[in-house]
Amino acid sequence: SVINNISFQYRKAPNTDFLTAFQTDINPDMRAILVDWLVEVQLEFKLRDLTLYSAMHFVDCYLEKSQIKRHKLQLLGCTCMLLAAKMEEIYGPDIDDFVYISDNTYTHNQFEKMESKVCKILDFDLLVFDTSYCFLSRYLQIGTTDVKGENVKKFCLLAKYVTELALQKYDMFRYPPALIASAAISLSRRTMNITPAVLSTDT
């Protein structure tokens, strides 16, 4: 079929030095603060976890290709969350919701301009990419096969928390998303004293 003949090209994560070698007005600490704030936005709007990870993927891809001033970093984060919600949510927040959540720091028109710029910088390539959460959601199905009762929920929450911490750390760019997700599973198993720490692929 036509679908079977399509070859999807996954966009790789940005280079590991785009904040230290390319950006001049922002640093890893500012990015970490942005992630922390976007988590609050996600909770406020009750958005999916994948929306958060997609938004930060858009942010990082943008920062790799275009310099930005620190006073517009929050605008970029909101805009990328808006785009991610359009891709991942059934009923996502609109621009006016982000104007409100940013305490009217930016106008409706500024959001529209930034949305257009982000799409242009990313070449409208918003569909196919890897994030650590994509792998984590699959690995959890394997990592909980020998976890019983209430511990299943605790284990999943811990693994998601560890992966979210990695999302905040700029230094974690050196590791592939699949490795981050598997490490979160392993660390969660060790923390909860579940042995073995890593399940065999034959399990």
Side-chain angles (χ1 to χ4, degrees):
S1 66
V2 175
I3 295 179
N4 291 333
N5 291 330
I6 296 177
S7 177
F8 288 110
Q9 181 64 44
Y10 280 78
R11 188 195 311 118
K12 297 180 180 179
N15 296 324
T16 58
D17 62 348
F18 65 91
L19 280 185
T20 55
F22 178 61
Q23 294 293 332
T24 59
D25 199 43
I26 60 174
N27 57 48
D29 289 339
M30 295 176 186
R31 180 189 176 278
I33 293 173
L34 177 65
V35 174
D36 189 57
W37 184 75
L38 287 179
V39 169
E40 296 183 17
V41 173
Q42 176 205 2
L43 295 175
E44 178 68 23
F45 290 143
K46 297 180 173 61
L47 304 176
R48 301 173 61 199
D49 291 328
L50 185 56
T51 302
L52 170 66
Y53 284 80
S54 297
M56 280 311 302
H57 182 79
F58 296 155
V59 168
D60 293 330
C61 288
Y62 180 96
L63 293 178
E64 181 190 27
K65 298 178 179 179
S66 180
Q67 291 183 337
I68 193 171
K69 296 296 182 180
R70 65 183 65 188
H71 69 275
K72 286 191 175 182
L73 184 59
Q74 186 183 30
L75 174 62
L76 174 64
C78 285
T79 302
C80 289
M81 182 72 86
L82 173 66
L83 285 170
K86 289 181 178 180
M87 305 303 298
E88 305 296 343
E89 305 289 338
I90 297 177
Y91 300 106
D94 58 24
I95 290 180
D96 290 333
D97 292 320
F98 282 101
V99 171
Y100 169 78
I101 204 70
S102 61
D103 199 24
N104 294 298
T105 304
Y106 311 103
T107 66
H108 190 284
N109 186 52
Q110 284 178 303
F111 272 103
E112 288 183 335
K113 289 182 177 180
M114 179 59 77
E115 184 178 16
S116 177
K117 188 173 182 179
V118 171
C119 289
K120 184 177 180 180
I121 292 294
L122 300 186
D123 197 26
F124 292 87
D125 185 12
L126 306 175
L127 288 177
V128 186
F129 52 88
D130 294 326
T131 67
S132 54
Y133 185 80
C134 293
F135 290 99
L136 180 68
S137 59
R138 294 182 179 273
Y139 292 169
L140 282 174
Q141 298 175 12
I142 302 173
T144 56
T145 54
D146 58 345
V147 183
K148 307 299 181 182
E150 289 294 322
N151 284 335
V152 174
K153 182 177 181 180
K154 293 179 181 178
F155 177 85
C156 292
L157 289 175
L158 179 57
K160 289 180 179 180
Y161 175 69
V162 172
T163 309
E164 197 170 281
L165 287 179
L167 179 68
Q168 192 176 31
K169 300 298 183 181
Y170 176 68
D171 291 342
M172 297 302 288
F173 267 102
R174 72 185 70 176
Y175 304 109
L179 181 59
I180 292 174
S182 58
I185 295 292
S186 177
L187 179 59
S188 299
R189 290 179 67 87
R190 291 176 187 273
T191 302
M192 295 183 65
N193 296 316
I194 304 171
T195 55
V198 180
L199 287 177
S200 169
T201 55
D202 297 330
T203 302

